Amino acid sequence: MLQRTPCCDQAIYSTNFVTPLWPDEPEARRGRIAMLSAHTCPLAMLGGRKTGGMNVYVRELSRELGRRGWAVDIFTHAESLTRPIVIQMARNVRVVHVVAGPVKHIGRYELYRYLPEFAKNILDFADSEGIAYNLIHSHYWLSGLVAQRLREAWGIPFVQMFHTLGALKNQVAETDADRERAVRIESEARLMHLADSIVAATPLDKHHMVEHYRANPAKIRVIPCGVNLKLFRPLSRTEARRELGLRADHHVLLYVGRIEPLKGLDTLFHAVARLMARRPEWRARTELIVVGGGTAPSAEGWTEEMARLRHLRHQLGLHDVVIFLGAQDQETLPYFYAAADAVVMPSHYESFGLVALEAMACGTPVVASRVGGLTHTVVDGVTGFLVPPKSPNALASRLERLLEDAALRRRMGQNGIRRARQFGWPAVADRVERLYRRLQSQNVVLQESSL
Ligand code: UDP
């Protein structure tokens, strides 16, 4: 089995703010971006309860902008005393750990209380470094609230991306613990009006903002999320299986993602149990690999949800079928995607679904719930199948259909590769840059007219 490696292996640590670490750093910068990711660090290990698509988005977009000559500082809450305050993450891109409240991991609603301190410390940082940012790009509602304060102080535009919407999550929440609090919904509603521009990942995401928050559609730009096409590329299934120690003649289903109730893993377990009942001859040669979360109560990423799912596996008699592998480093994921016959995303809500795109880029069909961004990412009957959420029977039927037809899997895999090609990060960054330039020029006009 491939081994995990720490996610920030390649980061170059530095506390030097001024000297460029990259000798070929362009002299004439395109502009300075304050990228806000208050509650989660782009260098964090992925696949924990709260670390997933947004971390990847902030990291990959910033890298691509840095490559193009934008100077990007990503501000995130400091959670460790041993980690340097400033880490040079890539060319022209730094991660700045902002001390606000306790220096340890704290919940999102606790961090909310420290946002004024978080914003003040960013202002002090910029002052002490003599930095004038041109634009703020904030991610998630918590960062949006910080952006609002920074904009007041700096008089520059801010772009907001929500990644998920509280109102949508509440529509599918099954318990009080899963419900998002009023302060989130109210903050999101306020930010819809305050932000200079909002990025939606799909047309449906935009529609939700208009419908649930009365956002002004003219302010919203639809820019899809991206996939790293150099990393997520088609690989030989045989070699990938050999590398991972998986049998060539087995049916391999794969789940990759955070372990939380909204991801719908219980629906998938019930579907696999039904599939095993329908096709008992497959039992000894079928595996469902679950990538994400921790593997033992003492391990990082072990959550109540993980414990619940282990119990459900036991109740459904699937201990010989479902394998919990824990979170894996992104560099190893292409092997998992390539080795799988199908990647399954049984989510109850998904604003985009990067995993679907990554799997498609590796040439693997995706069977996903017909919810949110997945309806846009996965083309039903072409790159995989869409099924109603929370419907084990429908999911089992689609999995059975795919597992018994190698030609169909190959065709859908090829279609997925072609579709994923449109979603490279350079294409995403082109559109984000266009938005930045438009906002910058509007801001100049505004400032001139107020003179
Ligand atoms: N991921 C990872 N290792 C894991 C689990 C997930 O690197 O063990 C990454 C995965 O490659 C993807 C992201 O986490 O880029 C999950 O993004 P997605 O949009 O599918 O879900 P979200 O976290 O936004 O709900």
Side-chain angles (χ1 to χ4, degrees), residues 11 16 23 99 149 224 279 301 314 322 351 400 412 414 421 448:
N16 183 339
V99 175
R149 282 169 190 253
R279 305 295 293 258
H314 175 74
V322 177
S351 61
E400 185 177 10
M412 287 186 156
Q414 288 303 317
R421 276 195 203 121
E448 282 170 356

Side-chain angles (χ1 to χ4, degrees), residues 141-372:
W141 64 282
L142 289 166
S143 300
L145 297 175
V146 177
Q148 176 197 345
R149 282 169 190 253
L150 298 182
R151 185 183 54 182
E152 277 162 27
W154 291 335
I156 57 174
F158 93 84
V159 179
Q160 171 68 22
M161 183 159 182
F162 288 99
H163 294 269
T164 56
L165 295 168
L168 271 288
K169 287 185 107 173
N170 283 351
Q171 275 191 341
V172 292
E174 284 174 356
T175 64
D176 278 350
D178 295 339
R179 285 188 70 77
E180 294 295 326
R181 299 185 194 166
V183 65
R184 171 172 180 179
I185 315 293
E186 285 156 18
S187 301
E188 286 174 340
R190 225 174 44 244
L191 289 167
M192 296 284 173
H193 296 285
L194 289 173
D196 295 285
S197 184
I198 299 168
V199 174
T202 62
L204 186 65
D205 197 17
K206 174 175 175 176
H207 171 78
H208 286 149
M209 292 178 198
V210 176
E211 190 181 286
H212 293 274
Y213 295 91
R214 298 175 183 211
N216 173 3
K219 238 196 221 185
I220 307 174
R221 285 279 164 285
V222 177
I223 304 179
C225 296
V227 58
N228 180 343
L229 293 170
K230 288 202 184 97
L231 177 63
F232 296 105
R233 74 275 182 207
L235 295 170
S236 142
R237 178 175 176 271
T238 316
E239 276 170 36
R241 288 199 176 191
R242 195 177 310 127
E243 193 72 36
L244 296 173
L246 293 167
R247 294 274 304 265
D249 57 345
H250 277 206
H251 292 316
V252 177
L253 301 172
L254 176 68
Y255 168 88
V256 174
R258 293 177 298 111
I259 305 294
E260 69 152 49
L262 274 181
K263 291 287 182 178
L265 271 161
D266 41 1
T267 305
L268 175 55
F269 286 12
H270 282 285
V272 170
R274 280 170 211 200
L275 187 58
M276 293 300 98
R278 272 187 220 170
R279 305 295 293 258
E281 73 280 13
W282 282 2
R283 185 167 194 113
R285 55 184 191 98
T286 301
E287 273 128 34
L288 166 61
I289 298 178
V290 176
V291 167
T295 46
S298 56
E300 199 186 320
W302 180 264
T303 55
E304 257 177 51
E305 179 62 4
M306 201 72 209
R308 193 181 71 81
L309 289 170
R310 287 202 164 226
H311 184 62
L312 182 62
R313 173 179 71 166
H314 175 74
Q315 280 180 324
L316 295 171
L318 290 176
H319 40 275
D320 52 339
V321 178
V322 177
I323 304 166
F324 289 102
L325 271 193
Q328 301 291 316
D329 193 49
Q330 245 193 351
E331 273 63 38
T332 65
L333 288 183
Y335 294 92
F336 283 95
Y337 290 133
D341 291 306
V343 167
V344 194
M345 295 192 76
S347 316
H348 302 167
Y349 166 60
E350 199 73 61
S351 61
F352 189 79
L354 284 181
V355 161
L357 210 49
E358 292 166 3
M360 281 156 50
C362 294
T364 305
V366 179
V367 182
S369 302
R370 188 177 281 114
V371 295

